[in-house]
Amino acid sequence: MADETGPGQVHDALVRRVMGYPESARAWLEARLPEEVIGPLDLSTLVSRSGTFVEPELKRSETDLLFEVRHEFGIPVFVYFLVEHQSTVDELLRLRLHRYHGRIWERELREWRPRAQSISPIVSVVLHHGPVGWGPSTRFEDLYNAKVRDLPGVCRFSHILIELTNMQLEDARGDEFSRAMEMLLSDHRRRQAGRLLQLLAPLIAVIEAAPDSRDQRLTILSYFKFMYGGTAMTDLTAEVEKYRERYGRPGLTSEDVTILKLLEQQHEREGREQGLEQGREQGREQGREQGLEQGLEQGVREGVLRTQIRFVEGMLAKGESWSTIEELTDVDQQGLHRLREELAALLAERGNGAV
């Protein structure tokens, strides 16, 4: 867009650039569309249909994108993606969608399939990240008085709502680029800057490792700087550098970087939860204070062991040699065997033999 200096235009630019990458658009749609919708669609056929169908007076408050995919029967299906970031929730959004649908069909029959004897179905997806949560119905027929909804001629369709207003940052979906987009949009009120920095850093580190990723990295950093300021961006780039130094060595793929970090966090959390629970049980038998301490220590150790084992096993599954694995992890074949034995022994102590 020509003007990307205001908040609304910056939101627009972020969404358009992320969804301009087919891989990110596919990953995000696959993660966010309901199974009953995504199941029959072949996302490998996804292509962008350029143009906008939004009224000129609304272009500063929302943006739209149109994709086309193929149904499993070969029939074209449109996926219409509308981003809402207005200060108030629009009760009549469904009426606007109805108008936009008409414009899409008109263009389809005029330009894309002028000889077609039928129109293509449209799946409308509304991404909302306003100051307050979305309240209106997603069904068009609810705009009618309930007493007349069964009459012939009543239009019936629903849009899919993706609500980011109160989303937990950890719940972002898609690939690294689209997950970063969701996190940034969901924190448009700038209330979770610290946590956002921690979660964005590994995503940016992974994006940097991919070929031709400079534009993606700059897209995220420029949005972050606009919303949080230069000091916060300096902190973010420093955090990214830590991840690059820690995980960016040869032999680790971009997928490994993300998986390893997530496993570390997950198993540390699981270990502490398991240790606390075991400590409670042992505390009833041997004294609460001693049991809690012992259980917590054992649980954390279990989490660390699980992370090490799964990471090494993951590298083996990818065909990495033992020399490379030992160089990166300091674990050789015998070391992996010892880790498995130690974990099995810890699990046996609390009566759970599953590794």
Side-chain angles (χ1 to χ4, degrees), residues 31-254:
R32 283 302 187 185
L33 292 184
E35 178 58 33
E36 60 269 22
V37 174
I38 201 67
L41 302 182
D42 181 3
L43 286 182
S44 68
T45 65
L46 181 141
V47 293
S48 173
R49 288 294 188 182
S50 61
T52 181
F53 304 90
V54 173
E55 283 97 351
E57 66 271 16
L58 292 175
K59 287 183 179 179
R60 294 184 62 84
S61 60
E62 64 184 32
T63 188
D64 63 341
L65 298 165
L66 183 65
F67 300 98
E68 182 179 320
V69 298
R70 291 284 168 172
H71 191 274
E72 60 185 357
F73 296 127
I75 300 169
V77 176
F78 290 122
V79 178
Y80 183 58
F81 178 34
L82 186 72
V83 182
E84 282 277 312
H85 47 74
Q86 300 185 84
S87 58
T88 58
V89 174
D90 187 357
E91 293 278 351
L92 296 180
L93 171 74
R94 291 157 286 172
L95 187 57
R96 297 209 317 275
L97 281 175
H98 187 271
R99 292 200 297 272
Y100 301 162
H101 288 184
R103 294 170 188 172
I104 293 170
W105 285 321
E106 288 175 357
R107 188 170 178 188
E108 177 187 27
L109 297 176
R110 184 178 66 249
E111 299 180 24
W112 302 325
R113 279 178 281 277
R115 294 184 175 85
Q117 299 299 310
S118 62
I119 58 177
S120 301
I122 301 174
V123 177
S124 284
V125 182
V126 176
L127 179 68
H128 177 247
H129 63 111
V132 296
W134 192 264
S137 168
T138 60
R139 304 192 314 167
F140 184 85
E141 58 265 34
D142 289 342
L143 287 173
Y144 298 97
N145 187 294
K147 296 179 179 179
V148 297
R149 288 175 192 163
D150 294 331
L151 288 176
V154 168
C155 179
R156 302 181 186 277
F157 75 87
S158 298
H159 69 80
I160 297 167
L161 175 66
I162 310 299
E163 175 65 273
L164 300 185
T165 297
N166 297 311
M167 183 194 81
Q168 297 296 315
L169 296 179
E170 293 84 353
D171 293 334
R173 294 291 181 266
D175 65 357
E176 288 82 10
F177 201 21
S178 53
R179 283 163 57 198
M181 174 194 74
E182 282 202 354
M183 290 180 188
L184 290 166
L185 291 177
S186 68
D187 193 43
H188 65 280
R189 288 175 288 183
R190 301 182 292 278
R191 295 180 177 178
Q192 306 179 73
R195 183 61 180 148
L196 180 63
L197 185 148
Q198 295 174 355
L199 293 172
L200 276 182
L203 296 181
I204 296 174
V206 172
I207 291 171
E208 282 186 335
D212 303 322
S213 61
R214 182 174 180 273
D215 181 67
Q216 296 182 22
R217 178 174 59 85
L218 292 179
T219 294
I220 297 171
L221 293 178
S222 62
Y223 183 98
F224 188 88
K225 182 178 181 181
F226 180 89
M227 297 298 291
Y228 298 91
T231 301
M233 195 189 75
T234 300
D235 294 339
L236 176 60
T237 53
E239 193 71 15
V240 172
E241 182 63 28
K242 293 179 185 177
Y243 279 90
R244 187 187 301 115
E245 293 175 354
R246 185 175 181 186
Y247 299 116
R249 296 170 291 179
L252 290 179
T253 67
S254 60

Side-chain angles (χ1 to χ4, degrees), residues 305 309 332-343:
L305 289 172
I309 292 170
D332 56 15
Q333 285 182 278
Q334 292 299 320
L336 178 60
H337 180 68
R338 288 192 295 271
L339 291 175
R340 287 169 172 164
E341 286 186 334
E342 183 181 352
L343 178 59

